[in-house]
């Protein structure tokens, strides 16, 4: 099943779908008030996000550190952000990006 990138005004959704119509229906189901601005069939069945594009640049491994903080915080995002800031010395915005991106990945 192909992987589609579906962009709306407020979201970028990554979803598997059999075709473009089925991919568009994902938006209709999840965000009925939004319309599809761009729909792209990905060339492969994986999705990669550059850590530098998210602003994640650190001498420590942000993923393992973030996952460790999420585990210690038992999934509490705000507490995990505070722990990450304490352990790495990054600012609030940087910590938020790292923690949220790891939450999306299903830490």
């Amino acid at each position: 099943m192909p992987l589609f990138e579906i962009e709306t005004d407020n979201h970028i959704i990554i979803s598997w779908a059999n075709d473009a119509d089925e991919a568009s229906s994902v938006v209709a189901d999840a965000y009925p008030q939004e319309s599809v601005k761009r729909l792209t069939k990905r060339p492969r069945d994986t999705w990669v996000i550059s850590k530098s594009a998210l602003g994640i640049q650190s001498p420590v491994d942000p993923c393992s550190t973030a996952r460790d903080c999420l585990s210690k915080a038992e999934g509490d995002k705000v507490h995990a952000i505070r722990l990450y800031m304490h352990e790495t010395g990054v600012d609030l915005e940087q910590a938020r990006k790292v923690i949220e991106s790891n939450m999306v990945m299903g830490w």
Side-chain angles (χ1 to χ4, degrees):
M1 185 177 294
L3 188 64
F4 285 86
E5 177 183 344
I6 312 143
E7 183 177 352
T8 69
D9 288 327
N10 300 309
H11 298 89
I12 297 175
I13 302 164
I14 310 304
S15 181
W16 282 279
N18 289 315
D19 56 32
D21 290 336
E22 188 177 307
S24 293
S25 72
V26 170
V27 173
D29 292 340
Y31 303 101
Q33 71 283 6
E34 296 187 34
S35 60
V36 174
K37 300 294 179 193
R38 183 177 54 85
L39 186 123
T40 306
K41 182 177 176 184
R42 303 299 299 172
R44 296 181 176 79
D45 63 354
T46 57
W47 178 253
V48 177
I49 299 173
S50 168
K51 289 180 183 179
S52 63
L54 294 174
I56 302 170
Q57 296 173 349
S58 176
V60 297
D61 177 14
C63 289
S64 63
T65 304
R67 289 181 182 136
D68 185 49
C69 291
L70 281 161
S71 180
K72 289 176 185 174
E74 298 178 347
D76 180 331
K77 180 174 92 170
V78 174
H79 186 55
I81 290 170
R82 288 184 187 123
L83 287 171
Y84 190 84
M85 289 171 62
H86 177 73
E87 290 191 20
T88 63
V90 300
D91 66 9
L92 176 63
E93 186 62 19
Q94 179 84 14
R96 183 192 61 79
K97 287 179 183 180
V98 174
I99 293 298
E100 287 179 351
S101 63
N102 276 276
M103 288 180 80
V104 169
M105 291 187 283
W107 61 277

